[in-house]
């Protein structure tokens, strides 16, 4: 089997005003991703996803260009099933021959950032092809799912203190979720206002519903420590991205100062960033976004780091359907995987891009046994929202 074509499409889907929310990223008015298509001479097509931002909206022109102009020419004519080798080809570029022969990475500048996101989008599509070629789901290729269903938490929570309880209880009623996540951080103005919203949420939810919060890296170290102290009696599942990912030592300081578990990783690239988080004891839960961090291949390596350091793995799944399906497969097969993120914001890239659905019943998501990623892309939707600039 040979690759005959690779193409990344920037898909820009406007979100109606009624479905928009305001968070640390401002008002979110669109959902954007690069959807990667790989065609083979065997008639098998694989789909992947690459992201230029952890939030919904992002300008993806540069990322699509990296897929189409930088990486695609390296892989056309190659066997798509040689996934590990192809990852190294993309990562090491001109020195890939030396790197593969020596078993030693020799990357140039593309060790982080959009290059890794582009690699991730292609890698996800390669795994989709491999699964389809063997008529097996990706999770089977990764060692098999550990359970037929996994618990999920409802991810949203932007309302003010007076309404946050009602909003989160609506999530619980909507899918039977037993855990929810809300946003805190610079959107609230002060740590005290964020803490007041968390306390209001816990009062409304009661003691039996899990509650997590996410600051998107917007607190300073001092603010994050103050916030964590204020909510220590709220029995949080975790406090996500308390400070900037550029300040891993600061994150470790926040973790040491509080009993609240810390989670991080949605804006990190490759196993090397996650190794640093683990070695610094900066996080209890690792949250790679496979459409950012380097794809399924790199996700497996990150999962091994989580397991080796006795940490847990909860992939960032605020994505389109290919990214969601990839993270689902990783979480279902990793010894450190334990819960799935499920977006309760407006997410047309999950809800309309593919024909299949990932329903939540009783707070659980079934791990589907369809071949590959288990998705069928609606190409009319893709064409409708494709951007060429």
């Amino acid at each position: 089997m040979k690759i005959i074509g690779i193409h990344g499409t920037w898909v820009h889907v406007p979100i109606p005003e009624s479905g928009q929310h305001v968070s640390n990223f401002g008002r979110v008015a669109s959902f954007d991703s690069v959807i990667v298509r790989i065609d083979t001479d065997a008639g098998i097509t694989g789909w992947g996803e690459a992201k230029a931002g952890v939030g919904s909206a992002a300008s993806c022109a540069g990322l699509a260009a990296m897929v189409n102009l930088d990486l695609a020419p390296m892989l056309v004519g190659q066997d798509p099933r040689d996934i590990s080798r192809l990852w190294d080809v993309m990562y090491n570029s001109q020195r890939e021959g030396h790197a593969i022969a020596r078993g030693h990475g020799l990357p140039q500048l593309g060790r982080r950032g959009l290059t890794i996101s582009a690699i991730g989008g292609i890698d996800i599509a390669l795994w989709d092809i491999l699964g389809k070629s063997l008529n097996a789901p990706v999770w089977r290729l990764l060692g098999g799912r550990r359970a037929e269903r996994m618990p999920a938490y409802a991810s949203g929570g932007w309302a003010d203190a007076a309404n946050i309880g009602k909003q989160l209880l609506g999530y619980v009623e909507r899918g039977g979720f037993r855990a929810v996540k809300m946003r805190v951080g610079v959107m609230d103005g002060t740590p005290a206002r964020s803490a007041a919203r968390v306390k209001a949420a816990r009062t409304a939810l009661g003691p039996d519903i899990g509650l997590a919060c996410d600051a998107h890296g917007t607190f300073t170290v001092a603010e994050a420590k103050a916030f964590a102290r204020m909510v220590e009696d709220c029995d949080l599942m975790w406090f996500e991205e308390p400070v900037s990912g550029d300040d891993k030592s600061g994150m470790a300081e926040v973790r040491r100062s509080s009993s609240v578990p810390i989670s991080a990783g949605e804006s990190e690239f490759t196993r090397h960033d996650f190794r640093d988080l683990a070695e610094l004891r900066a996080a209890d839960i690792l949250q790679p976004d496979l459409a950012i961090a380097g794809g399924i291949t790199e996700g497996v390596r990150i999962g091994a780091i989580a397991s080796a350091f006795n940490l847990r793995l909860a992939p960032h799944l605020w994505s389109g359907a290919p990214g969601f399906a990839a993270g689902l497969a990783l979480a279902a097969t990793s010894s450190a995987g334990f819960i799935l993120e499920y977006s309760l914001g407006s997410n047309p890239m999950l809800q309309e891009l593919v024909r299949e659905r990932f329903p939540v019943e009783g707070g659980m998501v079934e791990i589907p046994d369809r071949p590959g990623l288990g998705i069928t892309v609606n190409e009319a939707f893709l064409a409708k929202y494709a951007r060429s600039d």
Side-chain angles (χ1 to χ4, degrees), residues 140-158:
R140 178 68 69 195
L141 309 181
L142 297 179
R145 60 188 176 187
R146 296 162 59 82
E148 293 184 356
R149 301 191 305 161
M150 285 191 71
Y153 67 90
S155 185
W158 305 277

Side-chain angles (χ1 to χ4, degrees), residues 8-13 30-35 49-68 114 117-118 291 349 387-389:
T9 301
W10 174 11
V11 181
H12 171 81
V13 188
S30 67
F31 209 107
D32 299 83
S33 281
V34 171
I35 302 302
E49 180 177 2
K51 292 169 59 180
V54 296
S56 300
S59 176
C60 298
L63 179 56
M66 285 186 170
V67 171
N68 297 329
L114 293 185
S117 298
M349 294 288 284
R387 287 190 62 161
S388 59
D389 55 335

